[in-house]
Amino acid sequence: MLSDPYPCFCGRLSVHHAPSLKMGNTIRALIAFVPTNECQNYLLGDLQEMPLDKMVDLSSNQLRRLPLHVCSFKELVKLYLSDNNLDSLPWELEQLQNLQILALDFNNFKVLPPVVCTLKQLCILYLGNNKLRDLPLELSLLQNLKTLWIENNCLTQLPEVICELSLLKTLHAGSNALRLLPRQLSNLQELRTIWLSGNLLTDFPMVLLHMPFLEVIDVDRNNISYFPSLVHLSGLKLVIYDHNPCRNAPKVAKGVRRVGRWSEETPEPDPRKARRLRMAKQDTDEVQAPASPVPPLPVSEKLD
């Protein structure tokens, strides 16, 4: 009878026996393919009990599957799985109902695993640097989500389901292939920063003109040739528009910082204040105008 060589193999391995760091990484990559408990425990290292800080970081471990033991830490608040080879997640992850931060960036996800949408306490979700082409409608269940990273994916349009995340404050959607933004984006009354650099926008997204609560707008490295006035965006603090073939700089209110061509030019002033200044100047000019000189008396009158 053939015995399973992996438990014994994994049980003998330790950092002290690894001939080099490179060899250790190679071994970890091989073990990641083996679904036995012993191999999963090897990948977890000494992580057998719930960490006191309620955080597990398994980033850069060449994981191809999530060790199921992690799903038993039901009080876990932060889970970092960045920079692995994951393309799916087990349904057992649903047990982590206290999870607030989940990092899945730098993996091989082509679709968002459905189990992610069951984690209703999530506040921050990192999905950048994957191969996502869309997001599921079930993402709308994450009504506590405040920060979403979807940069460096394969998105050709911003998924409309994002517009249903009513508490969203920060959206990172750079380095995709976006050409338009949905009108429903203006429904996100809590959104304060939107990062859209490195997309395919040819026009400044008109929906952003109806979002006066935005504080940061980043449209760097797009194909925008003309910028409308942003003076009316009362909450705006920073606009980044560099590396666009634009023929003008966006006009902004006083105190708003601009990063891009012609950014050193004076921002457009408040039109009401400018009108008051012009009127005041006219009044001053009239008050200070010298009186007309009295014409000299005729010679005949002088002799009298």
Side-chain angles (χ1 to χ4, degrees):
M1 178 182 295
L2 293 176
S3 60
D4 185 354
Y6 296 113
C8 181
F9 173 70
C10 295
R12 289 199 304 264
L13 285 173
S14 69
V15 174
H16 303 290
H17 292 96
S20 67
L21 179 61
K22 183 176 181 180
M23 179 62 71
N25 289 338
T26 301
I27 292 173
R28 296 183 72 87
L30 291 172
I31 293 174
F33 278 103
V34 184
T36 63
N37 290 332
E38 289 81 358
C39 287
Q40 290 190 14
N41 290 338
Y42 172 77
L43 293 172
L44 286 173
D46 297 328
L47 186 64
Q48 298 301 319
E49 296 182 0
M50 174 72 187
L52 294 177
D53 59 2
K54 299 182 180 181
M55 179 187 76
V56 169
D57 188 352
L58 293 175
S59 301
S60 304
N61 273 291
Q62 302 189 42
L63 297 176
R64 295 181 180 273
R65 64 182 67 209
L66 176 66
L68 293 180
H69 185 60
V70 174
C71 301
S72 65
F73 301 151
K74 296 184 179 181
E75 299 301 316
L76 201 64
V77 173
K78 304 175 183 178
L79 177 57
Y80 297 93
L81 300 173
S82 308
D83 190 25
N84 282 294
N85 296 310
L86 299 170
D87 59 11
S88 63
L89 292 173
W91 275 104
E92 287 81 355
L93 192 70
E94 185 179 11
Q95 301 176 56
L96 305 184
Q97 285 301 311
N98 290 298
L99 206 60
Q100 296 181 23
I101 299 177
L102 177 60
L104 300 174
D105 49 324
F106 292 94
N107 276 284
N108 295 320
F109 293 105
K110 293 183 179 180
V111 296
L112 182 66
V115 67
V116 173
C117 300
T118 68
L119 305 173
K120 297 182 180 180
Q121 297 304 315
L122 279 182
C123 296
I124 302 176
L125 179 58
Y126 297 91
L127 299 175
N129 291 275
N130 279 285
K131 302 173 183 178
L132 300 173
R133 296 184 177 276
D134 202 356
L135 293 175
L137 296 178
E138 291 76 12
L139 189 73
S140 63
L141 298 175
L142 303 183
Q143 283 299 307
N144 287 305
L145 204 61
K146 295 181 179 179
T147 301
L148 177 61
W149 295 69
I150 52 173
E151 79 285 0
N152 274 294
N153 274 285
C154 304
L155 300 171
T156 57
Q157 58 184 5
L158 192 70
E160 292 187 6
V161 66
I162 292 176
C163 304
E164 300 180 33
L165 303 174
S166 59
L167 296 183
L168 196 66
K169 290 183 177 294
T170 302
L171 176 60
H172 292 266
S175 299
N176 280 285
L178 304 179
R179 296 180 182 273
L180 298 170
L181 297 184
R183 291 178 300 172
Q184 297 90 327
L185 194 67
S186 61
N187 295 336
L188 299 182
Q189 299 291 311
E190 297 298 320
L191 193 65
R192 295 295 178 266
T193 60
I194 184 166
W195 307 87
L196 298 166
S197 64
N199 278 287
L200 301 176
L201 301 172
T202 56
D203 296 303
F204 185 84
M206 302 311 308
V207 65
L208 301 184
L209 299 179
H210 301 281
M211 302 175 71
F213 36 80
L214 283 174
E215 296 179 358
V216 177
I217 298 175
D218 178 14
V219 289
D220 182 32
R221 294 186 294 113
N222 277 276
N223 295 314
I224 301 172
S225 58
Y226 174 78
F227 284 95
S229 174
L230 307 180
V231 174
H232 65 288
L233 299 182
S234 56
L236 194 60
K237 297 179 180 178
L238 171 65
V239 55
I240 305 172
Y241 63 95
D242 209 8
H243 304 99
N244 279 281
C246 53
R247 56 181 183 270
N248 72 311
K251 294 179 180 180
V252 294
K254 185 177 181 180
V256 178
R257 185 185 175 197
R258 297 183 297 184
V259 177
R261 191 178 182 187
W262 303 300
S263 61
E264 69 282 356
E265 293 183 359
T266 304
E268 184 178 25
D270 185 323
R272 293 171 296 179
K273 183 182 293 185
R275 182 173 179 272
R276 289 196 298 267
L277 289 173
R278 286 196 302 270
M279 293 176 64
K281 186 176 185 301
Q282 289 175 359
D283 293 341
T284 302
D285 291 344
E286 291 177 4
V287 170
Q288 296 179 351
S292 301
V294 178
L297 291 172
V299 175
S300 58
E301 292 184 10
K302 285 183 181 180
L303 294 177
D304 294 341

